Amino acid sequence: MALVWGLPALYLVLIGLLWAFQERITFPAPRSALPDPQDVLGYGELVELTMRDGTRLRGWYLTPKDGERRRKTPETSGDLRRPAPSFAALLWFYGNGETVGAIWPIIRDFRPPNAALLVLDYPGYGASGGRAGETAVYEAADLAYQELLKHPEVDPQRIYVYGRSLGSAVATHTAVTHDIAGLILESPFTSAREMASRHYRIVPGFLVRLGLDNMANIRRIRCPILIFHGTADKLVPIEMGRALAAAAAGPVEFVMIEGAGHNDTYDIGGKIYKDKLAAFVK
């Protein structure tokens, strides 16, 4: 009898814990120091943004690799001073276990060379204050977009958004709520509920409080979309990436990275990945 009553009780306790801590499971919020981009890249600047509740977010703003010189010394012709050139810009949203301090070499090596770039640590992540969560990361994304608009060298008609894994939900939110020129998704999932049904099958779907609904968002996005997905991804299966591509309202290019899992798309994609990304951000 103890076993008969004990197993259901244990199940209910487990379900209760997963329900209560699902946001913490989804947003593990690793901490790390934020290096100065001048020290590690030789260019760029630290940025600090403030959320409505006073939480301070920290990150990087990078001009194009040859743009720092041009931004500071615009060309002159006689007595007429020409305006500094306008650049495309890329908002970069990383995965749930990453921070700017951890992935800055990837940003350095794979960022489109012809575009400015802004990347923030999410609330509770890296060097940012606050607590991680779905609503919080969306507010951070909105602040990041508005910050790009404050830079006179950034062309507001050429703002692109990149999101990897968890960051894909932040990216599609940004694409739905703001005017963007294009959207790049890497290893994207369809929704939090479908991810839970795959990895936590004992949890009834109606108990998933998180949205993170890329499928609903992508049906509303009409700008060009570029999707990368590894064929050997066991965390977010490539079928999810294909489903999002099929549901997209706008033009979409789906790029399979043969043999890549969830966390080695950069390494295996290599030059092909890098060139595709650079060509997309015009």
Side-chain angles (χ1 to χ4, degrees), residues 120-132:
L120 283 179
D121 275 325
Y122 301 139
Y125 276 69
S128 291
R131 181 175 176 178

Side-chain angles (χ1 to χ4, degrees), residues 28-234:
R31 308 295 292 182
S32 70
L34 179 68
D36 189 324
Q38 290 286 345
D39 293 338
V40 295
L41 301 181
Y43 62 95
E45 59 193 61
L46 294 167
V47 296
E48 185 172 284
L49 307 181
T50 304
M51 299 175 67
R52 288 189 297 269
D53 65 359
T55 295
R56 293 183 177 181
L57 307 177
R58 303 187 69 213
W60 284 2
Y61 172 75
L62 309 175
T63 55
K65 292 181 179 178
D66 68 340
E68 189 69 15
R69 174 183 57 81
R70 288 191 287 158
R71 183 175 69 154
K72 291 181 177 179
T73 57
E75 298 177 3
T76 59
S77 178
D79 294 331
L80 297 178
R81 189 176 178 85
R82 297 179 184 174
S86 291
F87 300 121
L90 180 66
L91 281 175
W92 187 294
F93 298 119
Y94 53 59
N96 76 333
E98 299 175 329
T99 66
V100 179
I103 67 164
W104 70 260
I106 294 170
I107 294 173
R108 175 197 62 196
D109 295 341
F110 287 91
R111 61 167 299 197
N114 58 324
L117 184 145
L118 193 146
V119 57
L120 283 179
D121 275 325
Y122 301 139
Y125 276 69
S128 291
R131 181 175 176 178
E134 184 173 9
T135 300
V137 297
Y138 292 160
E139 183 182 346
D142 296 338
L143 284 173
Y145 181 91
Q146 295 301 324
E147 175 65 18
L148 275 182
L149 296 180
K150 296 177 182 178
H151 290 265
E153 67 274 13
V154 170
D155 183 349
Q157 303 302 314
R158 291 192 291 152
I159 293 177
Y160 294 78
V161 179
Y162 163 96
R164 186 185 107 73
S165 191
L166 176 69
S168 65
V170 189
T172 61
H173 159 84
T174 307
V176 166
T177 54
H178 301 283
D179 292 329
I180 69 167
L183 174 67
I184 304 109
L185 302 177
E186 181 183 333
S187 309
F189 55 91
T190 48
S191 69
R193 180 166 291 187
E194 290 196 11
M195 284 293 288
S197 70
R198 176 177 177 83
H199 295 287
Y200 301 94
R201 295 182 181 179
I202 65 170
V203 180
F206 67 86
L207 291 180
V208 178
R209 292 180 284 110
L210 295 173
L212 301 172
D213 198 338
N214 282 326
M215 182 59 76
N217 284 341
I218 208 163
R219 292 183 173 128
R220 301 168 57 193
I221 298 169
R222 300 192 177 278
C223 67
I225 300 173
L226 175 64
I227 299 177
F228 295 103
H229 216 123
T231 60
D233 192 334
K234 298 186 183 303

Side-chain angles (χ1 to χ4, degrees), residues 11-35:
Y11 173 76
L12 290 175
V13 169
L14 181 59
I15 291 298
L17 290 173
L18 289 173
W19 181 86
F21 292 101
Q22 61 186 269
E23 199 153 56
R24 292 191 182 184
I25 294 170
T26 305
F27 299 92
R31 308 295 292 182
S32 70
L34 179 68

